[in-house]
Amino acid sequence: MSRARVARRIAAGAAYGGGGIGLLGAAAVGVVLAEVQLAKRTVGNSGEHPAPPRADGRYGWGFADRPDGAEPLRFAMLGDSTAAGQGVHRARQTPASLLAAGLSAVAERPVELRNVALPGAMSDDLDRQVTVLLSDTSSWVPDVCVVMIGANDVTHRMPATRSVRHLAAAVRRLRTAGAEVVVGTCPDLGTVENVYQPLRWMARRVSRQLAAAQTIGVVEQGGRTVSLGDLLGPEFLANPRELFGPDNYHPSAEGYATAAMAVLPTLCAALGLWPEEERPDVSRREGFLPVARAAAQAASEGGTEVAAAMPTGPRGPWALLKRRRRRRIHHHTPDPSPLPQ
């Protein structure tokens, strides 16, 4: 069965309350469980994980005195340890800080960042995170949100339909509150060092299937997605010492910068800050596709954006697949200033 059809089945199950989609044959379960136990002893076994640095605050104070008096952009980060910045030691190295600084530079406005991501979180924690974020809509409502989630859903074997259902519900709540939403889909877990075959192949397959299904669920709720899996995969495999952190599982500062560099153009485009071409660039293999096909293609190529396009077509909802040029982000920016109370 093609990845597009599997993704569509998962997304449909999520929307209509279906059960999990079986992705692995029963004969492989024993081998997989043995590989999982071996991987647990060698991956992420560098002792206790320190809490990720807090990057909340205001970025771009140099733009505070703009003559037009523009208010700061409000940016929120949600998700798991990747969104929280687990594995680095300075706030300015986290993906949220990198994106806030980059967004401020492009918009030429201050950016207020709030990060409610939780290390170890699965998609069923997004409801709590959204509630925390929207707890006081009278004083702070995000203009745009980035969500990075999915890896723990795979490693904890959460049914893909349940995973997508929680993510879609979170996107729907954020969109209803008036925020633009960008989701960095499930990374390719087949790139983690010390994960051997056949677990590596199975992890890659399940990761990409979940990423494609996430894309369908997010786009149908009015959000945008950026594929992270294949983007980081080849670079992690080629430069594991540089792009993985000390625990051989979470990204290093360079790894986070690579991911943020892919997300920033879509983050800016969601706010109308990125130049939009009138037509897709055929030379970059951009175009309008049924959403399931666009999702499957994006899952196979990192840095690919998928956004809603035509509401319907002969084969269901359609989406615009974009391959935006990345913008280099420097992670040597000053630490943020505290948010005003």
Side-chain angles (χ1 to χ4, degrees), residues 20-104:
I21 303 295
L23 298 176
L24 301 176
V29 170
V31 176
V32 171
L33 291 178
E35 292 285 351
V36 166
Q37 294 306 315
L38 178 60
K40 284 181 178 179
R41 288 195 290 268
T42 55
V43 174
N45 192 27
S46 60
E48 292 295 324
H49 296 296
R54 297 296 300 174
D56 296 43
R58 180 171 289 186
Y59 294 75
W61 278 100
F63 301 115
D65 297 327
R66 279 178 44 152
D68 59 6
E71 291 292 318
L73 289 170
R74 294 173 173 180
F75 166 45
M77 195 83 170
L78 305 90
D80 54 22
S81 56
T82 303
Q86 186 87 54
V88 295
H89 304 292
R90 296 178 176 84
R92 63 177 178 266
Q93 297 173 324
T94 63
S97 178
L98 293 166
L99 289 171
L103 180 59
S104 176

Side-chain angles (χ1 to χ4, degrees), residues 217-256:
V218 169
V219 169
E220 289 181 345
Q221 298 301 325
R224 304 181 185 219
T225 63
V226 179
S227 171
L228 298 181
D230 191 59
L231 167 75
L232 297 179
E235 298 181 47
F236 276 176
L237 286 172
N239 305 290
R241 296 292 180 253
E242 180 181 355
L243 293 178
F244 277 122
D247 62 3
N248 293 323
Y249 185 81
H250 294 100
S252 65
E254 288 296 329
Y256 281 131

Side-chain angles (χ1 to χ4, degrees), residues 4 10 32 44 50 70 96 112 124 129 133 154 205 220-221 253 270 282 329:
I10 294 172
V32 171
E112 292 181 355
D124 57 5
Q129 294 182 30
L133 190 63
V154 173
R205 180 185 179 197
E220 289 181 345
Q221 298 301 325
V282 178
I329 300 178

